[in-house]
Amino acid sequence: MAVVIRLQRVGKKSHPQYRVVAIEKKTAVGSAAKEVLGIYHPCNKETAEQVKLDMARVNHWIKNGAKPSETVASLIKKAEAAAK
């Protein structure tokens, strides 16, 4: 089955927080993920604090055929830029 890297919402009603997860494509929204790869806090003002990813594991999943969603792809670029 195809694996995707996508966001999984956690957090309160007015304060969204997301986990970046590797999960099978056909899995329901609230299901358990194969692996949590990082977190994303869109309400945080500082860019360095918004996105925290384990880039080694993200690259591992991409090498093994996982496809990131459009949003996650932009977060990966943002995390790489913050790391430099």
Side-chain angles (χ1 to χ4, degrees):
M1 193 133 221
V3 176
V4 295
I5 301 173
R6 68 180 188 199
L7 296 176
Q8 185 176 47
R9 184 176 170 133
V10 295
K12 299 177 185 177
K13 186 187 273 186
S14 299
H15 302 284
Q17 296 178 358
Y18 299 91
R19 291 182 187 145
V20 180
V21 297
I23 194 167
E24 290 188 19
K25 187 171 186 165
K26 301 278 183 174
T27 306
V29 174
S31 299
K34 289 184 177 263
E35 184 175 357
V36 177
L37 304 173
I39 55 172
Y40 172 52
H41 298 284
C43 295
N44 235 341
K45 300 290 185 210
E46 297 178 31
T47 307
E49 296 294 319
Q50 271 188 343
V51 182
K52 294 182 182 178
L53 294 175
D54 184 358
M55 291 306 295
R57 295 303 298 165
V58 169
N59 291 331
H60 167 79
W61 279 103
I62 290 173
K63 285 180 185 176
N64 287 329
K67 299 197 187 258
S69 67
E70 291 178 22
T71 307
V72 171
S74 68
L75 291 177
I76 291 171
K77 288 180 186 176
K78 193 183 280 190
E80 288 174 344
K84 289 183 179 180

